[in-house]
Amino acid sequence: GAAARRAAMAPPIQAMNETVNPEKPVWPRGVAGVLMIACGALAWLFCWRIALAKADNTVPISPWHWLNDWSTPLGTGWPLGVGAGLIVIGVIVLSPALVGPAGAILGWIPAHVFTVTGRLATRNLSRGKRRTANTAAALFVGVAIVSCLSVVASSAKASVTGIVDSGLTSDFSAMSVANGRIPDDAVKAIENTQGVGSVSRSRMLLGVTYGSGSDKTTAMTFAEQPSLFTNVFAPVTNSGDADKALRGGELVVGITVAKDNGWKVGDTVTVNGRQVVVDKEATAKAQADYQQQVQSKVAALQAEAQRLMAAGDAAGAQSKIDEAKQAGEDAQHVDPSTLVKTKTLDTHVKARIGAIIENSVYRSMVLMNDALAGRIANDYTMFTIMLFVNAKDGEDLAALKKRLVDAVKPYYVVNVQDREEFKSTMSSMVDQILIILYALLALSIVIAVFGIVNTLALSVSERTRELGLLRAIGTSNGQVRGMLAIEASMIAVLGTLIGVVVGTAAGVVIRQVYESNGLERLSIPWGQLGAFLLCSIVVGVVAALPPARRALKVPVLDAVATD
């Protein structure tokens, strides 16, 4: 009957363990997990379509207008997050159904290299599918997060490198390593350096808005030299002539700003800014008040000196006279700038949109030349954040670099870099983020180690009699340790593999969704992902040590006699 069939099909090792109860089927969880993963994948596909439609107005999100109208205002964030949540939860739900097939695949090498212990470990892994899956889940979540962000970070570095290699044409760049503002004297020192052919300033305008009333919008606004598109960055033009527009005092608008506001070449927009100017009336009043204050003080001291002289205190009178004299001299040497009062004037300038560009660097910016910027802002509301330097034809770049570095030495915060150093700086910013990610991975590994140790400890406790019988028939202590180490390594590799696959997929989706924001190149860090897998094997071996030591401490006869 059915009972005899189950008894005949039971593995010999499992039959020796009287405490083992048959595990419930895991296929219902497998079906539920697959459905959740499918829904998450559809959400990611929907997110990608929204991003594609946002980048190209001619591409519809879907064939259904009602869905397009409903989803467009929501953006890409919600389907991206919902899809990630569904896939992560779906994988956790599905994972018990993956333990059997994964054990057969991952156990193939151990079963052929370590014939006895490898096969035993593979079979043991499938005896508690839910427990194995739950243990691997802790490592899966941590590795998935780090793998995802590693793909995004690697793609960001590749994109920056691509931008510099294909778009940046200047020989050197200079920026401030402190507050972002380059002093005007440092700019002049660079411009006056021997061998410099041209210097293109990038100046940020503060508090600039566009339009009026309820239609007012904001965008990062920069004043650029006419040489920007000839000596610094080659424009990727969507419409209009960027170089001609910049030289002619028209606006050059990034495509993201243009689409968000419905602007096109030929439109006229109101540019609102601020200028900080001297308030002549307030300054004159401040000077008069100060003069009156000094005169009052001097008069009071002179009166006090006369009183003391009348009282016969010649020394005290002389002291007051000296104080009055000193107060008058101090007033003559006061810094006039401390008495200058300023006020902020709002500016409103009509400007024509002359070009729309698609360069990833400028997609979210509005550019104008210095003449137009001077009508909107002034030196108090506009400052230099970046310099791009080109050498004269035939100039030795290494020697010029040394002269530029020497020229900015007195300003400390200004850093001059060549093209390779500029790329390295951008990459190092991403690397700093990766350090934080690796710290998170280390934390997840620590948690996973404890999980694997606890799982194996519980498994060893339940299999005390089984392990005793194995030792009684000749299994060595090394083979017991090896079996547990293989089990732990397979659990760790399972969690890591699933995490790498899901995390990499999430990173690819994020890169694709934000391609128009500058993530133009996909780069998967295979070396780092491979290191994660190797690390998981080490984690498994380390996690197996305490349970193995505990199993081998029990005498063989006591282990066999355990119920």
Side-chain angles (χ1 to χ4, degrees):
R5 207 163 37 246
R6 285 198 300 271
M9 296 297 294
I13 296 299
Q14 181 175 332
M16 289 189 290
N17 192 343
E18 298 174 358
T19 63
V20 173
N21 295 317
E23 191 176 33
K24 294 179 180 179
V26 295
W27 68 264
R29 285 188 59 168
V31 173
V34 169
L35 290 176
M36 295 180 71
I37 293 172
C39 292
L42 286 175
W44 276 356
L45 178 62
F46 188 50
C47 175
W48 170 67
R49 293 297 301 182
I50 293 175
L52 198 62
K54 187 176 181 181
D56 187 350
N57 293 332
T58 62
V59 177
I61 297 175
S62 70
W64 303 284
H65 295 293
W66 63 269
L67 183 59
N68 298 345
D69 295 339
W70 174 74
S71 58
T72 300
L74 297 178
T76 57
W78 70 270
L80 186 63
V82 170
L86 285 172
I87 288 177
V88 169
I89 297 174
V91 168
I92 293 174
V93 172
L94 171 67
S95 54
L98 297 177
V99 170
I105 296 172
L106 297 178
W108 188 85
I109 294 178
H112 285 76
V113 176
F114 310 101
T115 307
V116 177
T117 55
R119 291 179 179 177
L120 288 175
T122 302
R123 292 177 180 177
N124 289 334
L125 196 70
S126 301
R127 287 163 59 181
K129 295 182 177 66
R130 286 175 170 80
R131 181 187 297 168
T132 299
N134 292 339
T135 304
L139 193 57
F140 152 67
V141 174
V143 172
I145 293 173
V146 176
S147 298
C148 171
L149 297 179
S150 294
V151 171
V152 173
S154 181
S155 298
K157 292 170 66 174
S159 299
V160 169
T161 300
I163 291 170
V164 174
D165 289 338
S166 62
L168 184 65
T169 58
S170 65
D171 297 315
F172 304 98
S173 64
M175 65 182 72
S176 172
V177 296
N179 59 4
R181 181 169 188 165
I182 300 178
D184 291 339
D185 290 342
V187 176
K188 293 179 181 177
I190 290 176
E191 290 175 338
N192 294 331
T193 301
Q194 180 185 351
V196 170
S198 66
V199 177
S200 182
R201 279 204 227 185
S202 182
R203 295 192 292 171
M204 175 180 282
L205 281 69
L206 303 178
V208 174
T209 61
Y210 297 86
S212 58
S214 60
D215 295 330
K216 187 175 289 187
T217 185
T218 61
M220 289 189 295
T221 305
F222 291 86
E224 304 286 352
Q225 264 73 60
S227 59
L228 174 67
F229 294 126
T230 55
N231 295 344
V232 180
F233 270 104
V236 180
T237 305
N238 177 271
S239 57
D241 187 330
D243 185 55
K244 181 180 177 182
L246 188 63
R247 294 177 184 276
E250 296 177 333
L251 299 179
V252 179
V253 181
I255 191 169
T256 301
V257 178
K259 287 184 176 180
D260 289 345
N261 295 283
W263 295 345
K264 60 183 182 298
V265 172
D267 289 348
T268 299
V269 297
T270 302
V271 186
N272 311 297
R274 296 177 300 173
Q275 291 185 344
V276 177
V277 298
V278 175
D279 188 336
K280 295 182 179 180
E281 293 183 3
T283 300
K285 184 177 183 304
Q287 293 173 344
D289 291 344
Y290 180 74
Q291 186 177 8
Q292 180 63 38
Q293 180 183 358
V294 172
Q295 290 175 349
S296 299
K297 182 178 180 180
V298 171
L301 289 172
Q302 290 175 342
E304 181 66 15
Q306 292 175 356
R307 186 186 67 78
L308 292 174
M309 183 64 73
D313 186 358
Q318 185 60 44
S319 176
K320 295 299 179 182
I321 292 173
D322 292 341
E323 286 185 35
K325 184 178 179 181
Q326 186 62 45
E329 292 178 354
D330 290 343
Q332 293 177 355
H333 294 92
V334 69
D335 186 358
S337 64
T338 60
L339 302 176
V340 175
K341 303 298 180 182
T342 60
K343 61 181 178 181
T344 301
L345 298 179
D346 293 330
T347 58
H348 308 281
V349 177
K350 297 283 186 181
R352 181 181 181 274
I353 297 176
I356 297 175
I357 57 176
E358 297 184 1
N359 298 62
S360 57
V361 177
Y362 298 124
R363 294 181 73 96
S364 301
M365 301 179 186
V366 176
L367 310 178
M368 62 183 68
N369 64 16
D370 290 334
L372 179 57
R375 296 166 55 194
I376 299 167
N378 59 9
D379 291 341
Y380 294 98
T381 56
M382 177 171 56
F383 58 89
T384 303
I385 64 168
M386 197 87 174
L387 294 175
F388 296 98
V389 183
N390 284 85
K392 292 180 179 178
D393 292 338
E395 191 69 32
D396 184 347
L397 295 182
L400 177 57
K401 166 74 182 303
K402 186 177 184 304
R403 290 196 295 271
L404 288 171
V405 171
D406 291 339
V408 299
K409 270 185 180 179
Y411 306 101
Y412 301 106
V413 297
V414 180
N415 184 28
V416 176
Q417 300 173 318
D418 58 25
R419 292 164 58 87
E420 292 301 320
E421 290 171 337
F422 182 71
K423 287 193 294 186
S424 177
T425 298
M426 298 297 105
S427 297
S428 66
M429 294 179 182
V430 179
D431 290 337
Q432 291 174 4
I433 300 175
L434 286 178
I435 292 174
I436 300 175
L437 302 184
Y438 292 145
L440 293 175
L441 176 61
L443 181 61
S444 70
I445 289 175
V446 171
I447 296 172
V449 167
F450 283 112
I452 296 172
V453 168
N454 290 337
T455 296
L456 285 182
L458 184 59
S459 177
V460 166
S461 177
E462 292 176 347
R463 291 154 50 196
T464 300
R465 184 167 180 265
E466 173 189 319
L467 293 172
L469 289 170
L470 287 172
R471 293 164 65 194
I473 62 175
T475 304
S476 67
N477 291 348
Q479 288 178 312
V480 173
R481 290 192 185 96
M483 180 181 66
L484 295 177
I486 292 172
E487 286 184 45
S489 297
M490 290 170 66
I491 294 173
V493 170
L494 174 62
T496 302
L497 269 176
I498 299 174
V500 166
V501 171
V502 173
T504 301
V508 170
V509 171
I510 291 173
R511 204 286 313 176
Q512 186 68 38
V513 168
Y514 292 100
E515 181 178 12
S516 62
N517 291 55
L519 289 176
E520 297 179 345
R521 298 190 179 186
L522 174 64
S523 175
I524 299 177
W526 298 111
Q528 295 177 12
L529 300 181
F532 294 163
L533 287 175
L534 293 177
C535 184
S536 67
I537 297 175
V538 176
V539 166
V541 173
V542 172
L545 295 178
R549 188 166 53 249
R550 177 181 174 183
L552 296 175
K553 279 184 178 181
V554 181
V556 174
L557 294 179
D558 291 346
V560 172
T562 301
D563 293 331

